[in-house]
Amino acid sequence: MEIKANNYEPNDILKFMRQATDLTQKDFAKSINKSKDWCQSNELGRSNYLFKDLLELAKKHDFEIIIKRIN
């Protein structure tokens, strides 16, 4: 799966990543020592996760984050 993050809100990106792993919110969050409530709150857009959390999830679940300048 490839997505352009610029087209989505941060909560959507987190949800896409979790759904791609086929993990529950609880198990996805637990993989980086977070709670199910953390995942749920971020997926609903009530909270904003830190970039370091996104990087940790990407490393843990084999996602590649590419930063590319658009001309």
Side-chain angles (χ1 to χ4, degrees):
M1 170 172 68
E2 182 176 317
I3 61 169
K4 291 185 180 186
N6 294 13
N7 298 332
Y8 299 95
E9 296 297 321
N11 59 308
D12 295 325
I13 303 300
L14 187 70
K15 189 172 184 176
F16 293 152
M17 288 175 68
R18 182 183 62 78
Q19 289 174 335
T21 65
D22 289 325
L23 293 174
T24 63
Q25 288 178 336
K26 180 181 177 181
D27 291 336
F28 191 63
K30 188 178 178 181
S31 72
I32 62 164
N33 299 313
K34 302 288 185 183
S35 69
K36 176 189 179 266
D37 290 341
W38 174 88
C39 191
Q40 183 178 44
S41 182
N42 280 288
E43 283 190 10
L44 292 173
R46 289 189 219 144
S47 297
N48 293 315
Y49 55 87
L50 300 175
F51 190 67
K52 71 178 188 69
D53 296 329
L54 182 68
L55 290 175
E56 191 173 349
L57 285 164
K59 288 177 187 176
K60 186 79 170 184
H61 298 286
D62 299 322
F63 286 97
E64 182 177 42
I65 296 175
I66 298 171
I67 306 211
K68 179 179 175 182
R69 185 167 184 202
I70 303 169
N71 294 330

